[in-house]
Amino acid sequence: MDHIKQRLKEVAFPRAESLKKMVQEHGTKVIQEVTLEQVISGMKGIVALLTDTSKLDPAEGIRFRGYSIPELRSHLPKISKDGEPLPEGLFYLMLIGELPSQKDVDYISQDWARRAQNIPEHAFRVIDALPKSAHPMIQFNTAILAMSTQSHFRKAYMDGMDKKDYWDPMYEGVMDLISRLPVIAAYIYRRVFHDGKQIEMDPSLDWAGNMAHMMGFESEEVKRLMRLYMVLHADHEGGNVSAHTTHLVGTALSNPYYSFAAGMNGLAGPLHGMANQEVMSWLEHLIKEIGTDRPSKTQIRDYAEETLKQGRVIPGYGHAVLRKTDPRFSEQLDFANKYIPDAPLIELVRNIYEVVPEVLRATGKVKNPWPNVDAISGSLLSSYGIKEYPIYTVLFGVSRALGVLSSLVWDRIYGMPLERPTSHTLEWFQDKVGFKS
Ligand code: HAX
């Protein structure tokens, strides 16, 4: 057993034991009351999940195992002193709950580079069977499902594995899957946008740097951006659509490929991960309609108000939990202000940030008028030359794997049972609250 898996085992079993004991001793205690409004408004605020990898505070933003993003940027191992943290390190932190050493991070980089060599050929062939015009998320998800033919978990389950061992093949599948996602993402990118001219992976590179390389970007700047992007999108506690769906499907003991593909179908919705693409198409129309990529604030305000009048949302703004500017937006803006302050798209993002919150506040109904992660991520990628925005949600998905798949390993460690909440009819709710129509 390698030292990462060994450390996971040492950390995991006492926690699993503690959870079991707590439920035995305190299982009947009431932890929350639930209102009708909460159920009908998408279960917002209902405590329903145990997720250790990260926690989202409405006012402060995300913390990964207790560490804020600025703390991650200073504490996690990097390639160079002024570089961005390596996503391998964040994965270790989310999986084990401890900050990794340089040795741990190097080990994971090498392990993933090794595992990425063994992608079944049919995963590429099913992508090739789809029209190039199929959205990259369709191609991505199809390949993820196709790779499940190699699932260690499914095989071990069919062989009659003992329940207490579920976490082990789950860990192996998760490591395989994460290692292979950048190869699949880059393959789709090159297929759709670069005439199918593929670039071989370079096993000496880190996971995110390799993805930039395979996509055709050799500069250290793009690799640095990719590392930041992969860290920022990795996790957002357990209740968001991609995390919750991956977890839910996993409770049926579906293998990691099935579970993650389900989560990715949720990420592909325009209110979730596809918002990064929606933002770019909103900006593209804005620039076309106004006739300049440096519109005035009044022009931006008029355009935003027109969007609302048409009964549409302003993509990149608002959040189900956050009640302030998303720190993932602020970190990307800091990065842009440091390295590419004069890029026209970044100036546009800054001006929109000054105008749109006021427009949304004026509606009187938007609970959070501030920008989220998607308000800037595409403009940043585009300013660095990755301009083909239909690929953006795939990049988000590669990153999101780090968090939701670490949690999936923990679900098996904790022995999480089948998730099965209760539903009722409209009449039941009417009776319950004493409503007569
Ligand atoms: N533009 C216009 N209207 C908005 C809005 C926005 N950006 N954000 C919220 N609203 C509206 C809602 O549509 C809702 O209207 P109705 O009552 O008419 O249905 C009302 O304001 C109240 O919504 P809310 O409680 O503030 O927001 P929700 O928790 O229901 O939804 C969303 C949160 C993120 C889905 C929402 O803010 C939105 O649609 N934003 C734009 C899409 C987006 O950027 N999504 C990415 C979110 C981050 C993420 O998951 N990334 O992956």
Side-chain angles (χ1 to χ4, degrees), residues 153 157 247-255 259 412 416-419:
F153 186 85
Y157 191 83
H247 160 79
L248 167 67
V249 174
T251 71
L253 295 184
S254 299
N255 70 49
S259 307
R412 299 291 75 80
M416 287 293 177
L418 186 83
E419 197 169 286

Side-chain angles (χ1 to χ4, degrees), residues 44 270-273 275 308 312-320 360 365-368 372-374 396:
K44 309 271 167 51
L271 296 188
H272 190 19
L308 295 183
R312 296 160 56 206
V313 296
I314 299 180
Y317 279 75
H319 201 273
L360 287 177
K365 64 174 184 180
V366 178
K367 295 198 187 69
N368 176 44
N372 59 56
V373 66
D374 301 309
F396 191 157

Side-chain angles (χ1 to χ4, degrees), residues 12 49 197 299 320 375:
L49 297 159
K197 290 187 190 117
Q299 287 172 316

Side-chain angles (χ1 to χ4, degrees), residues 225-246:
L225 171 65
M226 205 55 96
R227 289 174 198 122
L228 176 72
Y229 188 100
M230 290 296 130
V231 164
L232 291 183
H233 291 77
D235 210 32
H236 225 214
E237 73 166 43
N240 69 76
V241 172
S242 51
H244 187 188
T245 309
T246 304

Side-chain angles (χ1 to χ4, degrees), residues 66-257:
Y67 293 96
S68 67
I69 297 170
E71 286 165 353
L72 291 185
R73 286 177 85 183
S74 102
H75 298 344
L76 287 178
K78 303 173 182 125
I79 292 246
S80 64
K81 243 190 174 156
D82 65 337
E84 292 300 326
L86 287 161
E88 287 88 331
L90 176 60
F91 174 75
Y92 182 98
L93 174 67
M94 287 192 289
L95 184 72
I96 314 267
E98 299 164 351
L99 284 172
S101 65
Q102 186 67 51
K103 180 179 149 231
D104 298 324
V105 166
D106 291 345
Y107 180 86
I108 294 174
S109 270
Q110 285 153 20
D111 186 39
W112 285 352
R114 181 183 56 79
R115 289 174 187 264
Q117 311 280 348
N118 299 324
I119 302 177
E121 192 52 32
H122 62 256
F124 300 106
R125 297 296 76 82
V126 293
I127 296 175
D128 293 340
L130 288 164
K132 279 190 189 170
S133 58
H135 192 279
M137 281 302 279
I138 301 176
Q139 304 190 40
F140 187 55
N141 240 353
T142 305
I144 293 167
L145 274 182
M147 289 192 290
S148 72
T149 51
Q150 289 195 342
S151 169
H152 298 274
F153 186 85
R154 185 172 178 280
K155 182 172 180 315
Y157 191 83
M158 302 297 275
D159 290 347
M161 148 180 63
D162 189 318
K163 265 182 175 184
K164 69 177 176 10
D165 297 328
Y166 284 169
W167 72 277
D168 189 319
M170 184 58 83
Y171 170 87
E172 292 300 330
V174 160
M175 295 297 264
D176 279 353
L177 178 50
I178 293 176
S179 77
R180 293 164 187 187
L181 293 174
V183 182
I184 297 294
Y187 185 87
I188 295 164
Y189 178 72
R190 299 292 303 179
R191 171 175 193 255
V192 176
F193 303 111
H194 292 276
D195 295 329
K197 290 187 190 117
Q198 299 298 336
I199 299 171
E200 284 286 301
M201 74 176 289
D202 175 352
S204 69
L205 285 171
D206 58 293
W207 183 74
N210 221 332
M211 181 154 74
H213 157 73
M214 288 183 284
M215 288 173 72
F217 297 88
E218 291 307 342
S219 75
E220 196 43 42
E221 283 76 25
V222 175
K223 290 183 184 129
R224 179 171 54 204
L225 171 65
M226 205 55 96
R227 289 174 198 122
L228 176 72
Y229 188 100
M230 290 296 130
V231 164
L232 291 183
H233 291 77
D235 210 32
H236 225 214
E237 73 166 43
N240 69 76
V241 172
S242 51
H244 187 188
T245 309
T246 304
H247 160 79
L248 167 67
V249 174
T251 71
L253 295 184
S254 299
N255 70 49
Y257 302 85

